[in-house]
Amino acid sequence: MFEQILAEMQSAARAKRVYLTEHARDEMADDGLIFADVIRCILTGEIIEQQFDEQRGENKYVVYGDCLNEDEIAVVAKLTYNLKVGVITVYRLRITDYD
């Protein structure tokens, strides 16, 4: 369903057109994740949900994928008008996240 959006996000990740919000950087630090983990998640993952940010009037997507050590993480990101990926937040998944 989100194949085209994911393909555009993956293309941006390969071209190093990914930026992190301050919130995403803080969450990564809390979970012991690095930028390469975010890239790996985007490249190996799948979009499992689309969310609409009413305050900003834009769509954002939840990507489940693997980080470098193959733990599963989630990246919440948007695709910007100039085809960059803006990472809003990042977090490690727990078994309860699948319920």
Side-chain angles (χ1 to χ4, degrees), residues 45-65:
E46 64 179 291
I47 295 174
I48 58 105
E49 182 181 0
Q50 176 182 352
Q51 300 173 345
F52 184 72
D53 185 335
E54 290 188 28
Q55 193 171 24
R56 298 187 187 276
E58 60 191 13
N59 289 315
K60 57 187 177 180
Y61 303 89
V62 181
V63 180
Y64 278 14

Side-chain angles (χ1 to χ4, degrees), residues 10-83:
Q10 290 171 336
S11 177
R14 286 187 198 96
K16 298 180 170 68
R17 294 190 322 261
V18 177
Y19 67 91
L20 304 170
T21 63
E22 185 175 341
H23 177 74
R25 288 191 299 270
D26 290 344
E27 292 300 313
M28 288 168 55
D30 289 347
D31 284 353
L33 299 168
I34 61 173
F35 186 70
D37 291 321
V38 172
I39 299 301
R40 169 94 186 225
C41 178
I42 293 169
L43 294 177
T44 65
E46 64 179 291
I47 295 174
I48 58 105
E49 182 181 0
Q50 176 182 352
Q51 300 173 345
F52 184 72
D53 185 335
E54 290 188 28
Q55 193 171 24
R56 298 187 187 276
E58 60 191 13
N59 289 315
K60 57 187 177 180
Y61 303 89
V62 181
V63 180
Y64 278 14
D66 296 331
C67 61
L68 293 176
N69 70 1
E70 298 186 8
D71 285 350
E72 292 180 318
I73 63 172
V75 171
V76 180
K78 64 181 180 179
L79 193 60
T80 66
Y81 69 92
N82 56 357
L83 298 180

